[in-house]
Amino acid sequence: MQSRVLPLEEGKDPTPITKTNHSRVLPLKLLKFFGLFLVLGLGFSILSMFMIRYLGVQNVLTTVQSSFRPCLEEPSSLEHWIRPPSILLHTMNDEELFWRASLAPRIKKYPFMRVPKIAFMFLTRGPLPLSPIWERFLKGNEELYSVYVHSLPSYRDEFPPSSVFYQRQIPSQVSEWGKMSMCDAERRLLANALLDISNEWFVLLSESCIPLHNFSTVYHYIMRSRYSFIGSFDEPGPYGRGRYNWKMEPEVNITQWRKGSQWFEVNRRLAVNIVEDNKFYPKFEEFCRPACYVDEHYFPTMLTILTPHLLANRSITWVDWSRGGPHPATFGKADITEEFLKKILEGHKCLYNNQPSSFCFLFARKFAPSSLEPLLQFAPKFFGF
Ligand SMILES: *[C@@H]1O[C@H](CO)[C@@H](O)[C@H](O)[C@H]1NC(C)=O
Ligand SMILES: *[C@@H]1O[C@H](CO)[C@@H](O)[C@H](O)[C@H]1NC(C)=O
Ligand SMILES: *[C@@H]1O[C@H](CO)[C@@H](O)[C@H](O)[C@H]1NC(C)=O
């Protein structure tokens, strides 16, 4: 044994000697180790330098990337182009996002089985107090819908993985009622939803909206309609034509000026029209400011000019203006009675595919958080879910 040979340590307990010996060997090992690393590192740098010099940076990068590509991805297959983004958060700004979302196929026949989906787009400040009713409404129809939520950028929701709202927040910005930032938020929702090629219909909703029928009824009503449901009417008074500004000519003249509720349902073609627009946007941004509430005029007017033959000119979201004033009625717990629900569901008149109909509304607003409990209770009997 080596330790015993050391003369200075004679007669002492051998344990500490072994320790000294060990600590002498360790640096040597470490040194060898570092040496190996140094050689390896040098070799690698020389190799990369060589590769960059003779193959070019791009080639080296592609070589590196291709060797790290996960085996799921098949960039050369059609699947790659039709799969929706699995993560909604992205780093595109609006300009980049709208450009990407405006890419639309020119061949109308899809070369694959495409099941058209409804995109439910929630424009909110933060929490969704009525989410349980939407969860119940959507449950079991996973192939036929997708959900998008635009909220204040600082807001983080806490839905569990089992929720239909789980990780469905899109990159958002502050938006104010009646201002262009509100239309920006709506376009942002449309653009994000357009990234999923299966989304065919786009419904704008708020945190105070509820569905009035079961999912299959809603789906078929929208699918079978020849028109998109966006409120659009020519109102002569101060709150209609009175908000028109002559400086909007020639893009928009007074006879084309329209008003309508912001809660729309549009098909994919109109959604692209809205996202790609750079002709009407500057006019509305500059000349429709409070007391001209741009979210009530921009899309109805623009779509009336571009595609009047595709508009139903009415909304499918019921709202109660009968109390008067600048805001519609909000309903709480005490308002939710059988009579009230009958009133919402019955006694309406409208056109559906040019035929007179009494079935006019698929959604309703505005409902306070306190209405949730009675609504859930009445839903099976009145809404069918
Ligand atoms: C949905 O409601 C309609 C009409 O009320 C009904 O005929 C249909 O059976 C319901 N569908 C489901 C899946 O509950
Ligand atoms: C507005 O535009 C429409 C369509 O281009 C045109 O028919 C109409 O005469 C114009 N009205 C005015 C007042 O300029
Ligand atoms: C909606 O209004 C436009 C003109 O504002 C009209 O051309 C179109 O036919 C209307 N749609 C329906 C379904 O009546």
Side-chain angles (χ1 to χ4, degrees):
M1 283 206 147
Q2 226 182 356
S3 52
R4 295 261 165 91
V5 184
L6 287 170
L8 280 173
E9 309 298 329
E10 230 166 359
K12 284 191 181 171
D13 183 10
T15 328
I17 302 167
T18 325
K19 264 187 189 157
T20 346
N21 221 345
H22 229 115
S23 49
R24 261 201 220 142
V25 175
L26 206 65
L28 211 87
K29 269 191 182 164
L30 265 175
L31 249 166
K32 275 189 192 163
F33 203 61
F34 278 130
L36 191 72
F37 255 104
L38 202 76
V39 171
L40 264 175
L42 250 164
F44 200 76
S45 344
I46 291 168
L47 191 76
S48 348
M49 263 157 36
F50 169 83
M51 279 174 84
I52 287 169
R53 188 152 193 191
Y54 292 97
L55 300 173
V57 177
Q58 203 47 53
N59 281 336
V60 174
L61 281 179
T62 5
T63 318
V64 171
Q65 276 168 2
S66 57
S67 55
F68 282 109
R69 182 170 290 136
C71 43
L72 274 176
E73 198 170 330
E74 300 163 51
S76 52
S77 73
L78 181 66
E79 174 66 15
H80 173 76
W81 295 100
I82 61 183
R83 192 179 33 224
S86 52
I87 300 168
L88 294 189
L89 296 178
H90 54 72
T91 57
M92 287 183 276
N93 62 30
D94 280 353
E95 190 189 355
E96 294 164 340
L97 171 70
F98 293 179
W99 174 81
R100 170 64 188 84
S102 73
L103 305 185
R106 293 180 59 100
I107 295 179
K108 294 302 164 209
K109 187 181 173 298
Y110 292 94
F112 55 92
M113 244 295 279
R114 176 179 181 263
V115 181
K117 292 195 288 190
I118 300 179
F120 294 94
M121 311 184 301
F122 290 84
L123 183 59
T124 76
R125 294 179 58 77
L128 289 163
L130 302 178
S131 62
I133 203 158
W134 287 100
E135 304 263 8
R136 201 198 273 182
F137 166 77
L138 292 169
K139 212 167 105 187
N141 301 286
E142 280 63 35
E143 305 298 308
L144 301 175
Y145 72 83
S146 37
V147 169
Y148 300 85
V149 180
H150 186 289
S151 43
L152 285 175
S154 56
Y155 183 75
R156 285 284 157 272
D157 64 36
E158 273 155 24
F159 289 103
S162 59
S163 166
V164 303
F165 294 98
Y166 179 64
Q167 290 189 348
R168 301 309 295 178
Q169 268 188 298
I170 62 159
S172 307
Q173 284 173 39
V174 174
S175 50
E176 290 173 274
W177 301 105
K179 303 236 179 107
M180 204 51 165
S181 57
M182 183 58 62
C183 297
D184 293 339
E186 295 173 18
R187 296 174 94 204
R188 209 172 287 126
L189 274 164
L190 284 170
N192 279 282
L194 278 167
L195 299 183
D196 183 346
I197 199 130
S198 296
N199 286 332
E200 181 59 31
W201 304 286
F202 302 80
V203 180
L204 185 70
L205 299 158
S206 79
E207 68 266 43
S208 67
C209 287
I210 59 161
L212 293 177
H213 302 276
N214 65 26
F215 187 89
S216 58
T217 305
V218 167
Y219 187 86
H220 288 107
Y221 193 94
I222 290 175
M223 185 182 74
R224 291 183 186 137
S225 172
R226 257 176 261 161
Y227 307 104
S228 284
F229 295 100
I230 175 160
S232 176
F233 49 92
D234 182 5
E235 187 183 299
Y239 307 115
R241 286 197 180 199
R243 293 175 180 172
Y244 174 76
N245 185 327
W246 292 97
K247 293 197 178 113
M248 287 192 179
E249 283 193 317
E251 281 81 1
V252 183
N253 76 26
I254 182 95
T255 60
Q256 298 165 321
W257 183 251
R258 290 292 182 279
K259 180 177 177 173
S261 149
Q262 82 184 116
W263 310 105
F264 59 71
E265 180 276 324
V266 294
N267 68 13
R268 195 166 178 95
R269 175 173 165 188
L270 300 194
V272 172
N273 279 343
I274 291 174
V275 165
E276 75 182 357
D277 174 49
N278 57 17
K279 178 181 176 189
F280 301 101
Y281 186 96
K283 289 280 172 164
F284 280 89
E285 188 184 32
E286 192 174 356
F287 302 117
C288 181
R289 295 188 172 178
C292 174
Y293 299 103
V294 70
D295 53 77
E296 293 180 1
H297 299 280
Y298 174 30
F299 300 152
T301 303
M302 182 186 88
L303 294 176
T304 292
I305 295 170
L306 294 177
T307 53
H309 58 291
L310 297 180
L311 308 182
N313 301 318
R314 68 176 176 93
S315 171
I316 39 171
T317 303
W318 180 90
V319 65
D320 181 12
W321 286 102
S322 67
R323 293 183 191 178
H327 295 289
T330 300
F331 302 100
K333 187 174 183 135
D335 299 302
I336 315 300
T337 60
E338 302 215 356
E339 294 70 51
F340 172 73
L341 295 177
K342 274 190 198 138
K343 191 184 105 184
I344 295 183
L345 292 169
E346 292 165 11
H348 303 295
K349 283 197 191 109
C350 59
L351 290 179
Y352 180 73
N353 288 339
N354 304 319
Q355 302 297 315
S357 173
S358 61
F359 186 178
C360 304
F361 298 106
L362 301 182
F363 312 105
R365 58 193 281 267
K366 302 168 71 172
F367 291 86
S370 68
S371 66
L372 176 66
E373 195 196 312
L375 282 173
L376 282 174
Q377 213 176 311
F378 283 129
K381 180 173 175 192
F382 285 90
F383 306 151
F385 64 88

